[in-house]
Amino acid sequence: MKKIKILVVPMLVLLFLSSCTSVRVLSDYDKEANFDSYKTYAFYKTGIDKAQISDLDKKRILRAIEAEMTNRGFSKSENPDILVSIFTKEKEQVDIYNNYWGGGWGWNPYYWGPGWGGGGNNVSTRTEGSLYIDLVDSKTKELVWQGKGVGNLNNISNIEKKEQRIREFVSEILMQYPPNPVAAK
């Protein structure tokens, strides 16, 4: 039994830590769009201005998108094939953990004496954020691809860690581009 505990506890800790850092990604696209024809891009200022985040975070996101687009062979242009826009959503998650353990003497709000003891409720909050990256055909002005990343933001105060987290979000989202219709079937 001790061997099982020795193996299970570290595995649970690793699972918990990995779930805190992962980004869940979804994407959707217009199956009629010719993604091979898109080679140049520009940022859609009107859409980006509406994103309800700080200007500093907008800059961080746009720099990360710029790096990813360059890595994918796109170039910035005054006359782009696609327009890139972003928007964000944020919600506070509240987690409540019931920590009663063991038998014996203990306290709960209604009872002092033999029974379950030593526990209580622990409450923690975390911020879960969503980043949407939209690609709009510049000629038709229609949305042709949208990627969404959802993950914990953890209110990062360290600037380097914040920038790394933003790059992770953008990279994970743009891994879904261009869509692979064969794999989707």
Side-chain angles (χ1 to χ4, degrees), residues 8-67:
V8 171
V9 171
M11 289 174 60
L12 288 173
V13 169
L14 285 174
L15 179 66
F16 175 74
L17 291 175
S18 68
S19 70
C20 292
T21 60
S22 68
V23 178
R24 296 178 313 277
V25 177
L26 299 167
S27 66
D28 195 5
Y29 65 95
D30 178 355
K31 65 181 182 177
E32 302 296 320
N34 180 4
F35 292 99
D36 293 333
S37 69
Y38 302 131
K39 305 289 183 208
T40 60
Y41 76 97
F43 289 113
Y44 183 58
K45 185 176 175 3
T46 306
I48 292 168
D49 286 345
K50 292 179 184 177
Q52 296 182 354
I53 54 174
S54 76
D55 287 344
L56 292 171
D57 283 342
K58 282 181 193 176
K59 283 182 190 179
R60 290 178 181 111
I61 292 169
L62 297 180
R63 276 187 289 221
I65 291 172
E66 211 167 272

Side-chain angles (χ1 to χ4, degrees), residues 111-136:
Y111 179 77
W112 172 261
W116 296 96
N121 290 332
N122 284 336
V123 178
S124 68
T125 60
R126 59 189 161 88
T127 303
E128 184 173 84
S130 299
L131 171 63
Y132 294 79
I133 300 176
D134 291 344
L135 301 182
V136 177

Side-chain angles (χ1 to χ4, degrees), residues 10-183:
M11 289 174 60
L12 288 173
V13 169
L14 285 174
L15 179 66
F16 175 74
L17 291 175
S18 68
S19 70
C20 292
T21 60
S22 68
V23 178
R24 296 178 313 277
V25 177
L26 299 167
S27 66
D28 195 5
Y29 65 95
D30 178 355
K31 65 181 182 177
E32 302 296 320
N34 180 4
F35 292 99
D36 293 333
S37 69
Y38 302 131
K39 305 289 183 208
T40 60
Y41 76 97
F43 289 113
Y44 183 58
K45 185 176 175 3
T46 306
I48 292 168
D49 286 345
K50 292 179 184 177
Q52 296 182 354
I53 54 174
S54 76
D55 287 344
L56 292 171
D57 283 342
K58 282 181 193 176
K59 283 182 190 179
R60 290 178 181 111
I61 292 169
L62 297 180
R63 276 187 289 221
I65 291 172
E66 211 167 272
E68 287 293 323
M69 295 297 277
T70 300
N71 289 342
R72 286 172 165 59
F74 283 85
S75 58
K76 248 179 154 178
S77 173
E78 295 283 327
N79 188 18
D81 301 321
I82 57 173
L83 300 170
V84 179
S85 187
I86 63 167
F87 67 95
T88 59
K89 288 185 182 178
E90 208 176 78
K91 71 179 178 180
E92 200 73 23
Q93 295 286 106
V94 178
D95 298 315
I96 301 172
Y97 303 99
N98 193 348
N99 290 330
Y100 288 102
W101 67 87
W105 287 83
W107 177 89
N108 76 41
Y110 308 104
Y111 179 77
W112 172 261
W116 296 96
N121 290 332
N122 284 336
V123 178
S124 68
T125 60
R126 59 189 161 88
T127 303
E128 184 173 84
S130 299
L131 171 63
Y132 294 79
I133 300 176
D134 291 344
L135 301 182
V136 177
D137 185 294
S138 63
K139 291 172 185 58
T140 65
K141 304 294 187 244
E142 292 182 2
L143 180 67
V144 292
W145 184 87
Q146 181 177 69
K148 173 186 174 183
V150 180
N152 291 335
L153 300 175
N154 297 329
N155 300 323
I156 302 167
S157 59
N158 178 306
I159 299 301
E160 286 78 26
K161 286 183 180 179
K162 185 181 222 181
E163 287 179 353
Q164 179 183 348
R165 185 68 173 148
I166 287 171
R167 285 191 303 268
E168 180 184 359
F169 259 76
V170 169
S171 175
E172 292 287 324
I173 294 167
L174 288 176
M175 273 189 203
Q176 302 286 313
Y177 184 87
N180 182 351
V182 174

